[in-house]
Amino acid sequence: MAFFTPGPLARTLGIATMKARLFAPVAAFAVVSLALTQLSTVRAAGPEMLVYVGTYTTRGSEGIYHFRFDMRSGQLEPAGVTKGVKNPSFLAIAPDGQHLYSVAEVETLDGQRAGGVCAFAIERPGGALRKLNQQTSGGAGPCHVSLDRTGRVALVANYGGGSVASLPIDDDGLLQPIASFIQHTGQGPNAQRQEGPHAHSFNVDLNNRFAMAADLGIDRIMVYRLDVPSGRLTANDPPAAEVPPGSGPRHFAFHPSGRFAFTNNELNSTVTGFRYDGKLGVLSLIETLSTLPPQAAAADNTPAEIQVHPSGKFLYVSNRGHNSLAAFKIDADTGKLTPSGHTLSGGEIPRNFGIDPTGAFLLAANQDSGNVVVFRVDAATGALTPTGSVVQVPMAVCVKFLPLETPR
């Protein structure tokens, strides 16, 4: 069992919006405003939430599953499944809580070498999904989708195609055709996994100005300027940050302060921390640490997900193979990490996990064992303790939280 100490609540589902092109004093004020808005959202979240689970539609999986989650007991109750999308492996929920977006992680769509991105309306009160439309992702194997902080632009990473794309979203939540498509180029030293680019995630920063694309194939975090009104992307200057050769950056997470960011590296089971300049969109490497205990073999493991706890005090990484959740303490002044232990994920091949907006629960999606396991985060000790709530979800990949009632 790992031990780490969560602090006060500080973050929700990214509901607050920050304006672009902020100067430093304004940015500092915006971060404070964001924290206050987020705390208000947490208080309004209530005793129940909706939980959505994205999957690969093999081995009996039918699509996107959703559950009611009791914040008092930590119990998950099945509420339905949305069919009709192949491999909705990664999900994103709009800031207004009214729409959900998923990838369709396939290699070909409508005769073209590309996958898809799907828009759904979230129907109340039960949370059922109604499909609105689908657009091409522009490249093969889209594996990650996220939204800008206004909910007006979808950002997609195409693993198979080694590319990224941005798609505007209209007032009704419908996806519009691609506004920007950017093909990555290059390769890394791992001949089997880095023969070319493999974009694996795409995330916007707290100021909604820059978007970071972690590319496993070229050992770079590509940095793009985002123009929200047009939905267009342009390369930043400098255009990228590098990780140690052969690392294979996978997913990416910003610290709630906006001063630090982190990526987990799939190919060598490490995590890399950066200082972040939000005015310039510049990432500066701090350090790289193992996600495994000393006795574990990195060759038998590949990290999957990385997230910062809402308090900003802790970082979590899921380890596939070791089947654990690694935890690190984050130094508030320097952004440096201190390993604080590992907790078994409760299944085989943990992929994405979700931390609820209050920081009280962590839900781990275990792909090969086909389950989602609920852990309570003890407010006094920080230990992860299974609640006993385990639900079966075939080929579970991604977990997203949504308050049952959208905060006002």
Side-chain angles (χ1 to χ4, degrees):
M1 181 65 67
F3 292 91
F4 25 96
T5 307
L9 309 178
R11 183 178 67 103
T12 60
L13 296 171
I15 290 176
T17 299
M18 292 187 179
K19 293 185 178 180
R21 297 177 175 84
L22 296 172
F23 293 102
V26 181
F29 175 78
V31 170
V32 173
S33 299
L34 173 63
L36 292 174
T37 301
Q38 292 169 337
L39 286 170
S40 174
T41 301
V42 168
R43 295 190 191 102
E48 287 190 307
M49 291 197 181
L50 294 170
V51 171
Y52 293 88
V53 180
T55 70
Y56 287 118
T57 47
T58 60
R59 302 186 192 176
S61 172
E62 297 183 292
I64 302 170
Y65 293 77
H66 72 280
F67 301 83
R68 293 174 73 99
F69 182 63
D70 190 323
M71 292 287 291
R72 294 157 297 194
S73 67
Q75 296 295 303
L76 283 168
E77 177 185 346
V81 60
T82 303
K83 305 176 184 180
V85 178
K86 187 174 182 180
N87 296 338
S89 60
F90 210 87
L91 314 175
I93 297 176
D96 65 4
Q98 302 301 311
H99 299 95
L100 179 146
Y101 299 85
S102 83
V103 297
E105 190 175 341
V106 296
E107 296 298 308
T108 58
L109 183 71
D110 298 331
Q112 298 183 346
R113 191 170 187 272
V117 191
C118 304
F120 299 87
I122 300 174
E123 298 187 336
R124 304 293 179 151
L129 300 178
R130 174 171 52 86
K131 187 175 180 181
L132 298 176
N133 74 331
Q134 176 174 288
Q135 297 284 359
T136 178
S137 69
C143 63
H144 190 277
V145 60
S146 67
L147 303 182
D148 87 293
R149 297 185 183 277
T150 70
R152 300 309 299 263
V153 183
L155 302 171
V156 185
N158 297 303
Y159 179 85
S163 59
V164 295
S166 60
L167 295 83
I169 298 171
D170 72 13
D171 292 340
D172 296 319
L174 277 74
L175 288 160
Q176 301 304 298
I178 290 173
S180 289
F181 174 83
I182 300 173
Q183 178 66 55
H184 293 174
T185 60
Q187 59 189 25
N190 186 319
Q192 291 184 323
R193 298 292 309 278
Q194 295 183 309
E195 80 295 343
H198 293 295
H200 218 310
S201 61
F202 206 8
N203 303 92
V204 73
D205 72 357
L206 293 178
N207 292 333
N208 218 39
R209 295 182 62 192
F210 298 95
M212 313 294 167
D215 194 306
L216 180 148
I218 58 178
D219 289 325
R220 292 177 183 172
I221 310 297
M222 305 300 294
V223 184
Y224 298 101
R225 291 180 175 270
L226 172 64
D227 180 71
V228 174
S230 68
R232 292 188 176 276
L233 302 165
T234 55
N236 190 43
D237 182 16
E242 296 184 356
V243 297
S247 297
R250 178 183 170 93
H251 283 190
F252 192 85
F254 281 101
H255 189 273
S257 70
R259 298 172 54 213
F260 312 114
F262 308 90
T263 187
N264 59 342
N265 299 305
E266 180 173 337
L267 301 184
N268 62 4
S269 292
T270 61
V271 56
T272 297
F274 301 92
R275 286 180 295 274
Y276 181 59
D277 184 332
K279 286 181 61 179
L280 301 177
V282 175
L283 295 162
S284 302
L285 191 145
I286 300 174
E287 62 182 347
T288 296
L289 302 175
S290 175
T291 67
L292 294 170
Q295 69 276 15
D300 300 327
N301 184 74
T302 53
E305 183 58 270
I306 184 168
Q307 291 186 30
V308 178
H309 187 268
S311 68
K313 294 183 177 181
F314 306 100
L315 181 77
Y316 302 84
V317 178
S318 60
N319 283 310
R320 296 174 293 179
H322 192 251
N323 295 332
S324 66
L325 301 169
F328 301 83
K329 295 180 181 179
I330 304 172
D331 186 282
D333 295 323
T334 66
K336 288 190 174 182
L337 302 174
T338 301
S340 57
H342 297 78
T343 302
L344 294 179
S345 68
E348 299 292 324
I349 309 300
R351 292 289 298 265
N352 173 260
F353 52 85
I355 303 171
D356 84 87
T358 74
F361 293 95
L362 183 150
L363 277 60
N366 294 294
Q367 177 183 302
D368 283 16
S369 53
N371 61 8
V372 175
V373 180
V374 182
F375 296 89
R376 186 185 293 273
V377 182
D378 187 278
T381 68
L384 288 179
T385 304
T387 65
S389 179
V390 180
V391 292
Q392 298 304 307
V393 182
M395 298 296 284
V397 176
C398 180
V399 176
K400 295 295 179 183
F401 284 91
L402 176 66
L404 195 58
E405 295 182 2
T406 303
R408 293 188 297 272

